[in-house]
Amino acid sequence: DEPVSMSGLEAMTEVTGWKPPVGHTLAGTVFGQGRAPDTILVTREFGRKHHPLPSLHLNSVQTEECDHRFLVANHSQPARNFRVCALGAEGIASLKAVQVDSGRDLLAHPLLALRTIPSFWDRDRLAAVPLLNYFEAGMAAAEAGSTLAVRPF
């Protein structure tokens, strides 16, 4: 991969009125308009054909790096294994159903960002999205965790 050119970045920052799903992509990153007109939202590109977001199996009492951005941990009791992957459309649909039932605003963040955050799945069921403080009924927050792994350039 080649480094991003300054002219490529400058061309994107001169555009106004970006609204999802319209945006610009560059090296696996999506640049779009933030909530305020003078802000830029920078997220990981979701659904990239040749570079899909990673999915990993996380056994009990295991911590792994996910997508070079997050540390994910499984401390489930009793022990169970999870599949950790980007939240995606299926996870967002699951959260919408929970939101209606609970009255919690789980989806108050930009959709571009929500789609790519780590989610914990138990077979085909969404078990946890730690960054949104969502844990299925009966699951303690300490059982699954996700933290941003900040790396210097």
Side-chain angles (χ1 to χ4, degrees):
D1 292 341
E2 293 292 317
V4 176
S5 70
M6 183 56 88
S7 62
L9 288 174
E10 288 169 347
M12 284 191 288
T13 60
E14 292 171 4
V15 175
T16 59
W18 296 351
K19 297 251 187 237
V22 176
H24 297 277
T25 62
L26 186 66
T29 304
V30 176
F31 297 84
Q33 181 177 334
R35 291 188 181 193
D38 60 344
T39 62
I40 296 174
L41 177 65
V42 180
T43 63
R44 177 81 153 80
E45 187 174 2
F46 181 78
R48 197 167 184 201
K49 186 174 182 178
H50 299 293
H51 300 283
L53 294 177
S55 176
L56 58 98
H57 292 280
L58 197 63
N59 296 324
S60 186
V61 194
Q62 184 179 7
T63 300
E64 291 287 332
E65 185 178 85
C66 180
D67 194 25
H68 306 289
R69 301 179 301 152
F70 300 98
L71 291 177
V72 292
N74 177 359
H75 300 291
S76 57
Q77 294 296 327
R80 62 182 177 162
N81 300 332
F82 294 110
R83 177 175 53 93
V84 178
C85 60
L87 184 61
E90 185 179 358
I92 289 172
S94 295
L95 287 177
K96 282 181 181 177
V98 169
Q99 182 171 287
V100 168
D101 293 341
S102 71
R104 292 176 58 199
D105 191 4
L106 296 168
L107 303 172
H109 305 284
L111 184 61
L112 286 172
L114 284 175
R115 291 188 302 192
T116 64
I117 62 174
S119 58
F120 290 65
W121 294 80
D122 187 352
R123 296 179 190 84
D124 293 332
R125 188 180 74 253
L126 181 62
V129 187
L131 292 174
L132 297 179
N133 199 28
Y134 168 75
F135 302 90
E136 67 183 353
M139 184 177 191
E143 293 184 42
S146 181
T147 57
L148 183 61
V150 179
R151 298 194 183 336
F153 290 104

